[in-house]
Amino acid sequence: MTKDVIALTERMPDALSVLAGLLAGGPDLLVESAGEGAVVQLCDAEGRPLVSIEVPLMLQVPGEAARLLGPGAELSGDGPAWWVEARAAAGVPQAEQLAGAFAARLTMLLGGRVWPPDAPGTVGAARPVDVSGITAVPAPAAAQPAVDMLTDKAAVVLQDRPVVPMTSWLSEVLRATVESDRSLQIVTPPHCRLSTPTRLLLQSMPARWVVQDERCGYYDGLTGAVLTWQDDAFAPDRGESGETPVADAFTEAGPTSDRQLSVSFRTLHRPTADLVLGGALEAAWQALTGGLPAGWGTSEPAGLKWSRRQLTELAYERAPRSTWTVVVGTPERPAVATLRVIRTPEGVEEDVTLTVGYGPGEEIPRGALPGLAEELVTRYGLTTMLCQLREARRDLSAPPHYENPSLPYAFVLGPAEVQEAGRDTASRTPLKEPPVQLGPKARPGFYYALGDAETAETAESWAALEGLLRHLRGAPPV
């Protein structure tokens, strides 16, 4: 399994230090750029990449390295760190040594540490790696440095790290596979987990998390379906009955006392010159965590300090294309959000999913949700919001085993949607409790309580939401 190697340096890598790291393979290797200069590659004599190195990323957010790499990954001191990721080509042992030697040389010059600390090539990094006779994988797989195997149906990426984040190179692979009508398939050992942004994107795209387990072969880390390699891609195995079995490893997880609260909402703004984005997310963060976001970025790790102004400037530069970002919190209160800014004919839309983690004995702020809904309706142009609770890890990562599904807790309809559904329809629903009116009486929104999410069964909770939505759309009850 391919292991990426990461150098966390105390000082900013400059051109000379990066060049010194690249010389870990000696003078016989070629150095080329890819991805419009965002990636530097060490290549064999035929120009095929052995190691791909991302542009250094400054981490200004405390705890971000530990969130993705585990305890002990943070550097000492109050200053920023620089994250430099090197990815070795699959199936070439010397390539892993090259990646490790590059990272080790970089930290020798700039201070810091290598992750993982036992990566091949980190011992004796002052000596060049013997690259004689190395041959990298042939094209077309090597045409995309992050892809380990490319077929007509799938781009397969091998990963072995504590948490698989939506890095810049992985998001680029996801974009390229969608554009080429392929499926992204991430293959990991069973000890790996997905970050929340990675999980959300895999669930919404033609993609699959493939877990390789020594007892049962391959299975889907999000559904448990047993997988086999067929027709150039991993696909669900069909048993003699025609149904796909669930892997035993997927069902072995025990109960957890951790909880997650997730709020997904959309806001719509008029595209005025003084529009500043991120206010709705900031209000939700304050209501549910008691503080503001710590950092953000267009990928993971999210290395920039939170700034609504910088977020707005980036979205403005990318318009009319959409802008997808990750927003993170502090280690004391785990919180992660994805925020997509979309330019539509109606205006500027913000599509947000914020998830907050709670451990045993930590109170979930359910009582803050109606007030949050009121603020989003009156100040930030809320269209809809769905609040959900689930039993899941406090650190917000997704393990490759069964977790209880989310339970809908509340639904919110903004003023424009109330007007579209009809005020009488929106205010008189089949739910047990009447809705709470939000905002001005002349143009209100409504907050709908769907249950307590503690004693309700999953089917009952989702049935209540489905019945509400059918009612709002004017469909007859089932």
Side-chain angles (χ1 to χ4, degrees):
M1 191 69 69
T2 300
K3 284 192 175 182
D4 302 325
V5 183
I6 297 162
L8 292 168
T9 67
E10 297 173 354
R11 301 191 300 278
M12 181 178 70
D14 56 12
L16 289 178
S17 59
V18 173
L19 179 61
L22 292 172
L23 290 175
D28 296 330
L29 295 182
L30 303 177
V31 179
E32 298 182 354
S33 64
E36 299 181 351
V39 178
V40 176
Q41 297 175 335
L42 278 174
C43 303
D44 64 10
E46 302 297 327
R48 294 174 295 201
L50 293 163
V51 177
S52 301
I53 300 161
E54 292 283 326
V55 168
L57 173 66
M58 183 169 64
L59 295 184
Q60 304 179 65
V61 183
E64 187 64 353
R67 180 176 73 88
L68 301 176
L69 301 179
E74 295 291 323
L75 299 183
S76 59
D78 299 329
W82 277 263
W83 175 297
V84 187
E85 187 155 343
R87 179 169 173 77
V92 185
Q94 296 96 325
E96 289 192 34
Q97 294 180 344
L98 273 175
F102 164 81
R105 281 193 171 198
L106 212 57
T107 56
M108 286 170 56
L109 292 170
L110 303 174
R113 64 183 61 179
V114 176
W115 183 93
D118 59 349
T122 54
V123 178
R127 300 189 303 272
V129 177
D130 183 8
V131 297
S132 58
I134 288 183
T135 301
V137 293
Q144 168 54 264
V147 174
D148 295 297
M149 183 165 62
L150 190 69
T151 72
D152 290 339
K153 292 187 176 181
V156 180
V157 174
L158 308 180
Q159 286 283 271
D160 186 358
R161 53 204 297 172
V163 176
V164 179
M166 187 50 59
T167 58
S168 58
W169 62 261
L170 189 56
S171 63
E172 174 62 22
V173 171
L174 182 58
R175 181 199 61 78
T177 54
V178 170
E179 291 181 352
S180 62
D181 293 325
R182 290 181 172 91
S183 169
L184 172 62
Q185 302 194 331
I186 302 176
V187 182
T188 75
H191 60 257
C192 295
R193 292 169 276 123
L194 302 184
S195 72
T196 292
T198 302
R199 175 179 63 84
L200 292 175
L201 282 177
L202 293 192
Q203 289 176 326
S204 63
M205 299 282 190
R208 189 183 298 279
W209 180 17
V210 181
V211 179
Q212 183 178 11
D213 187 85
E214 61 181 11
R215 296 168 298 170
C216 54
Y218 298 93
Y219 69 93
D220 190 304
L222 296 175
T223 68
V226 173
L227 305 173
T228 59
W229 182 261
Q230 47 186 303
D231 298 328
D232 293 331
F234 286 101
D237 185 24
R238 303 296 180 186
E240 296 180 359
S241 63
E243 298 181 354
T244 299
V246 175
D248 291 339
F250 184 75
T251 62
E252 291 178 349
T256 178
S257 299
D258 289 358
R259 298 289 187 275
Q260 292 179 7
L261 170 61
S262 178
V263 292
S264 301
F265 58 88
R266 291 183 177 181
T267 61
L268 184 63
H269 314 278
R270 288 181 296 175
T272 59
D274 59 350
L275 173 63
V276 180
L277 301 171
L281 173 58
E282 202 171 79
W285 210 288
Q286 182 73 49
L288 301 182
T289 72
L292 296 178
W296 76 290
T298 57
S299 60
E300 293 181 287
L304 299 173
K305 291 183 179 180
W306 171 247
S307 168
R308 292 179 59 191
R309 178 186 57 80
Q310 291 180 350
L311 169 68
T312 305
E313 291 174 352
L314 176 66
Y316 180 81
E317 292 173 2
R318 293 190 173 187
R321 295 174 298 162
S322 64
T323 298
W324 182 88
T325 58
V326 177
V327 186
V328 298
T330 62
E332 294 75 24
R333 171 54 63 218
V336 175
T338 59
L339 185 157
R340 188 183 297 275
V341 180
I342 308 169
R343 186 69 169 90
T344 70
E346 292 75 26
V348 180
E349 180 181 292
E350 292 181 273
D351 191 344
V352 176
T353 296
L354 167 61
T355 305
V356 187
Y358 303 90
E362 293 180 323
E363 184 178 357
I364 300 176
R366 297 178 179 85
L369 293 174
L372 170 61
E374 175 89 23
E375 183 176 6
L376 296 183
V377 164
T378 56
R379 295 185 58 191
Y380 296 107
L382 180 75
T383 59
T384 59
M385 181 168 74
L386 176 63
C387 307
Q388 302 178 77
L389 291 166
R390 67 192 299 242
E391 296 177 354
R393 295 175 61 106
R394 182 182 186 271
D395 65 10
L396 307 181
S397 63
H401 60 65
Y402 176 81
E403 291 184 310
N404 288 327
S406 299
L407 291 175
Y409 181 74
F411 182 75
V412 182
L413 207 61
E417 284 61 37
V418 168
Q419 187 174 15
E420 182 179 347
R423 183 164 179 171
D424 287 344
T425 298
S427 61
R428 300 172 182 175
T429 74
L431 299 176
K432 297 178 181 179
E433 297 184 23
V436 177
Q437 183 173 305
L438 308 171
K441 293 182 180 180
R443 201 166 182 269
F446 285 103
Y447 175 95
Y448 304 93
L450 300 174
D452 60 11
E454 292 290 344
T455 60
E457 296 291 336
T458 302
E460 294 177 358
S461 186
W462 282 105
L465 176 61
E466 182 180 359
L468 172 63
L469 295 179
R470 288 181 62 86
H471 170 79
L472 295 174
R473 294 168 183 155
V478 178

